[in-house]
Amino acid sequence: MFDLTESPIDAAALRERLLGNENCGAFNCFEGWVRRKNEGSRVDYLVYSVYRELALNAGNEVIAEAKRRFAIADAVCVHRHGRLEVGDMAVWVGVAAGHRDAGFAACRFIIDTVKAQVPIWKEEFYTAKTKARGSPTPNRTVRDKPAPYPYSVSGGRLKTHPAKPQTLGRFSDGLLPKAQANVPILANNLWRQFYESVCHPDQISFI
């Protein structure tokens, strides 16, 4: 399930939706919060705008694709829209799976694909003191959506796109690299190893 809300996200209630399956031995979740500073500037608040009908369709397709491509039982993602204050939860993703590897991979797939493909736009509002009066002046910066994650769904199959090898950082088992433009990029051979370990082998196509 993918949903949009203007109300605070109830993480406990969403987690409860994913409990109770006796075949699941893992639960993974991601919470995205509004932080105070971004790129050295003090954030006052955020406003998320959304094309609701298209976003719901696209978001639910991401969830459906995660279920097809990873060995998971269920997944939920809820994204806020409207005005959010610092400390508010902007997005929640939860995955129930038989094993943790598939759960981690599906959770990452969902949040990265939602950020890259679902029509939700973020405006960051900053507060800066003017030199003339020292009074607070709001400064609005529209953040473009990040470049697409280096895979896509085409013809019902997960496809990865060639990526320039990057300097690798550590994330769990060390397969994930440092982020570039807020989107992690995997060197081709590590990308292949990682997704072959957590996806159904007959559902991966490399291009």
Side-chain angles (χ1 to χ4, degrees):
M1 179 200 77
F2 177 87
D3 202 4
L4 299 163
T5 181
E6 289 186 279
S7 303
I9 295 173
D10 187 343
L14 293 173
R15 181 179 182 276
E16 190 69 24
R17 290 176 58 102
L18 297 171
L19 300 181
N21 188 330
E22 294 182 349
N23 293 319
C24 291
F27 167 77
N28 303 86
C29 77
F30 169 82
E31 296 181 357
W33 306 330
V34 179
R35 61 183 180 272
R36 173 62 73 186
K37 287 189 176 181
N38 185 50
E39 298 179 354
S41 297
R42 181 181 173 85
V43 176
D44 190 7
Y45 62 94
L46 304 182
V47 174
Y48 283 99
S49 302
V50 59
Y51 184 170
R52 185 175 180 85
E53 183 177 0
L54 184 59
L56 288 172
N57 289 338
N60 278 298
E61 178 55 34
V62 172
I63 298 296
E65 187 61 32
K67 291 180 180 179
R68 288 192 293 266
R69 300 308 171 190
F70 301 94
I72 63 174
D74 202 1
V76 173
C77 178
V78 176
H79 204 297
R80 289 283 305 275
H81 64 100
R83 175 168 172 156
L84 279 72
E85 306 298 332
V86 171
D88 285 349
M89 189 187 304
V91 60
W92 189 91
V93 179
V95 175
H99 303 281
R100 64 181 182 277
D101 286 346
F104 276 118
C107 194
R108 178 117 195 186
F109 172 92
I110 291 168
I111 185 58
D112 287 343
T113 310
V114 165
K115 286 176 66 65
Q117 298 182 11
V118 177
I120 300 172
W121 295 272
K122 178 174 70 174
E123 296 174 290
E124 293 179 335
F125 290 80
Y126 299 96
T127 300
K129 291 185 177 180
T130 63
K131 292 182 178 179
R133 300 180 181 177
S135 59
T137 302
N139 294 282
R140 185 177 73 173
T141 300
V142 179
R143 298 294 177 188
D144 294 331
K145 293 186 74 62
Y149 205 72
Y151 51 60
S152 62
V153 178
S154 177
R157 298 176 66 81
L158 181 68
K159 294 188 176 182
T160 64
H161 301 281
K164 180 179 179 181
Q166 302 291 322
T167 302
L168 296 183
R170 293 188 61 81
F171 177 86
S172 184
D173 52 6
L175 290 176
L176 294 178
K178 294 179 180 178
Q180 182 180 34
N182 296 323
V183 180
I185 303 298
L186 288 178
N188 287 340
N189 61 331
L190 293 179
W191 178 267
R192 181 185 296 269
Q193 293 170 18
F194 183 74
Y195 278 95
E196 283 182 342
S197 72
V198 295
C199 296
H200 300 293
D202 61 343
Q203 296 176 332
I204 304 175
S205 174
F206 293 90
I207 60 174

